[in-house]
Amino acid sequence: MTNQKQVNELELKGENGKTIKLAVRQPVLGAPGMEISPLFSEFGMVAYDPGFASTASCESAITYLDGARGELLFRGYPIAQLAEHCSFLEVCFLLLHGELPNQAELEAFKRDLGREAVLEPSVRRVIESFPVESHPMAMLISAVAALAGVYHDSTDIHDPVARTRFANQAIAKMPIIAAAIHRHRTGQAIESPRSDLSYTQNFLHMTFGSPVADVSAQALDLLFVLHADHSQNASTSTVRLAGSSGTDPYAALAAGIASLWGPAHGGANEAVLRMLNEIGSADRIEHFVARAKDRNDPFRLMGFGHRVYKNYDPRAMIIRQMAHDLLQHLGSRDEPLFELAMQLESKALEDEYFVSHKLYPNVDFYSGVIYRALGIPVEMFTVMFAIARTVGWVTHWQEMIADPKLRIGRPRQLYIGAARREFVPLGQR
Ligand code: SDX
């Protein structure tokens, strides 16, 4: 639905009686945006919006979310249609280039990625330098930052060809690095990629040392599609803010991975599994729901709530169905865990607190059940998210760097510290 009301400017009357007109930008979809840049220069005021709940940091043509309707579009296509009909690499091409690929374009894209599908010795050494018990996200941040050490001098971020090569490299290398991290943590020899396997089958082969059932590879490929991008989430905004200084793109990517690790963001999928194991049985659900509602208790229901979705996360709906189908197909022992998750969901969604706070399951609530059924260790869950989100990060980075109006991101603040005071020598304090 496009915006019908064409408001082109708003008037703002300041305390000093001065009036300024603020332009209003009309997007293709979603809320219009009041341009507040003149606030400081004209009024000497700043807008205060901690967490950026009402602040658009940029214009973007990549992904659109409608939180009220639970709608998610990648380059205009509904996520459910892409999830049903497309492979992850088709979605990568769509996000990167703005259009779905034809067969020739898809084959050429696969060849481009294949050329980059190698693990650099220096990156391998970084991974192997970590104690095996290290958290894989710490290893991933360092390994991706090490790629800057390899490619920095050959990456001119103002050259579109170099930007495309970086994007293809990052997408190609992330699963190879992720699999190498898993192999190092489990004391196994690092497996090389095979050119005869699909992107996702290759990851599973490099991780488990042998090809896996097609149904497992298809489930993981679908999870990658669902996690590919999500507009200006915390990790993507981190990549954009870091990248706005002109830093090395792998350095910006490493910053995004660091942000994703947090349990309020991509780390939630790991936290959900730990929470379900802590709950353990249906008779303890009530206790944990009560804790989640208690403002004095820092416990939150992991996998619930979202800054934008005040309705069901469309991805969660698809993942729940996929989890059900996969567990049925695999006859997995994780049925009880999935059953517990569904009972927790229905209990929470009947509860006035969750209804009034518009807290629904998000993308992270069910994904861990699937990763576990595939044999992925719980510490690797957020690494899986990073593999998928790499295409989103590099696409947003490209969109930002290519923008001729790009300025370094530099927010202001409301200072609430000590007023000016004179220095007191040590002997007089
Ligand atoms: C992702 O941004 C994206 O697009 C992210 C993502 C993507 O694809 O990139 O979708 C991926 O990160 C999904 C979210 C994963 N995180 C979790 O599942 C962690 C649990 N969820 C919460 O921590 C929380 O819901 C957030 C972080 C997701 C959203 O936080 P907000 O928008 O800042 O909301 P808030 O913390 O201000 O909470 C508003 C109210 C509060 O109650 P009041 O003080 O107003 O009474 O809702 C409550 C909160 O206490 N609340 C919860 C809750 N989430 C919010 N209460 C219990 N359990 C929860 N999970």
Side-chain angles (χ1 to χ4, degrees), residues 301-314:
L301 222 45
M302 301 314 283
F304 266 78
H306 200 277
R307 173 63 57 75
V308 175
Y309 289 128
K310 300 310 171 191
N311 196 326
Y312 246 97
D313 182 334

Side-chain angles (χ1 to χ4, degrees), residues 7-28:
V7 174
N8 294 317
E9 62 181 29
L10 289 174
E11 272 199 3
L12 204 57
K13 196 180 286 301
E15 289 163 333
N16 55 7
K18 186 175 175 184
T19 299
I20 57 168
K21 292 187 185 325
L22 296 175
V24 176
R25 284 176 176 266
Q26 296 301 334
V28 169

Side-chain angles (χ1 to χ4, degrees), residues 230 264-265 300-301 303-304 306-307 315 353 357 362 389:
H230 216 237
H265 189 13
R300 286 197 160 180
L301 222 45
F304 266 78
H306 200 277
R307 173 63 57 75
R315 303 166 296 176
Y353 172 90
H357 282 80
N362 59 49
R389 188 52 59 87

Side-chain angles (χ1 to χ4, degrees), residues 52-70:
F52 312 121
S54 299
T55 296
S57 60
C58 62
E59 287 183 316
S60 179
I62 301 166
T63 293
Y64 173 69
L65 316 185
D66 182 324
R69 297 170 62 196

Side-chain angles (χ1 to χ4, degrees), residues 136-154:
M137 284 300 282
M139 299 163 83
L140 186 65
I141 294 165
S142 304
V144 171
L147 285 169
V150 179
Y151 294 106
H152 180 67
D153 295 338
S154 59

